Amino acid sequence: YSTKTNVKGCTVMPLLIQNGTLLLPEGPVKADLRVEGERIAQIGPGLPAEGSQLIDAAGKLVFPGFIDTHTHFEMNQGTQRETADNWTTGTRAALAGGTTCVLDFAEPQRGHSLASALEVWQERAEGRASCHYGFHMTIKDWDPRIQDELRAMTAAGITSYKVYMAYAPMRISDRTALEVVQAVGEAGGIVGCHCENGDLVDAGIAAMHAEGRFGPDAHPASRPAVVEAEAVGRWLAIGELAGYPVNIVHLSTWQGLEQVRIARKRLQEVYVETCPQYLTLTGDKYRLPGFEGAKYVCAPPLRAQINVDALWEALAAGEIDTVGTDHCSFYFNPTKMLGREDFAAIPGGIPGVEHRVELMYTYGVAAGRITAHQMMKALSEHPAKLFGMYPRKGALAVGSDADITILDPNASRVITAAGQVQNVDYTPYEGMESRCGIDTVLLSGAVAAQGGRVLLENRGRYVRRGSAQFWR
């Protein structure tokens, strides 16, 4: 076999992954996989080893590279509110944790164009990202000028968008949301929504203040499950009226899930994302001593165990499509401390891009809640399809990109902030068991990480995405 070039023109021998269990689109298969250059060249049993660099994956699971559908790197919420992870540290942590592609949210300033946000995010990521990357585009303003930009965004590889029903600086009206879904749908894209009723959140915060509640334990009480469920139902009504599929980001409640089920019974096409925190943590964290509960302040908030169980059941049943982290890492000290006197001033968001794969395997596959193949679909195949990258990404198939994660199901460790790559002073998963290890990560055919250690940095490239491939 001749040598080929891969990321950044590196010349490499063909690489042969032997003896592993491959998570193929149709199911797990014990077979070998050969990489030539940046692509998967062969899949089959007993492939010849001559002239190839060998990786022995005996006893291990070989996945298509995992895609995180939801990150916020280098996000500035004002003075002293810059996220701890920028594009350098955040993507390095993603790669160490088995993620080979992230989809971050580009956010234009009010009154500015979508193109301006794309330019800023490209400047931040290019040459600094250690995994591949793409962008969702947040829509805050909506007028003929913004609508006319959609065609240019599609040409630039942006085919997914986000709107907010919460946060005064971000949220848009229902009528605007309807117009956005229609326009994006006509352009072949899809719109996701942060589903919380902003007016009810504001009322909830005011009610907590009136009761003299200013600590982290008031955070979930200010935005209970019904606040999400109402917004989910309204978002689905908007999608139905628009006549195009819509996406729900970071679903956290069984009540919201019921709204999805009702919509699907009337044959509406809707896609759903949840996050590891809603599958592994509960609202008890907000009652930790002192100010420790601030570490877990995110929106939507962590919920009661009944929601955790319902979301796992929905994921196993195929009702939840993707699992992204909503990685938004603020230092506990001093950044989260800005809300010491008022929970509403705590910057919302938690880190997770590094630990998602381990958490999903440990508390999903190893716990018997989902299969490894279901995990592959939720973390690789479905994100690639929904966001216009399949089968280039998200599949172990001949001709697909050689972004590959080899997971060792026989490894174990305890997750700690001291041992993480993420550039933040805590992890919400401190002390939790990981019943697997990220053995080897290939990025475009090159061994980029092993054993949680990044070997190749700043090799990530922008992924120009096409139209969504819907499957429901």
Side-chain angles (χ1 to χ4, degrees), residues 431-449:
M432 292 177 65
E433 180 186 13
S434 169
R435 293 178 59 189
C436 68
I438 308 302
D439 182 87
T440 303
V441 183
L442 271 62
L443 190 75
S444 295
V447 177

Side-chain angles (χ1 to χ4, degrees), residues 199-212:
D199 287 341
L200 296 184
V201 169
D202 292 343
I205 292 172
M208 293 298 102
H209 288 168
E211 294 177 15

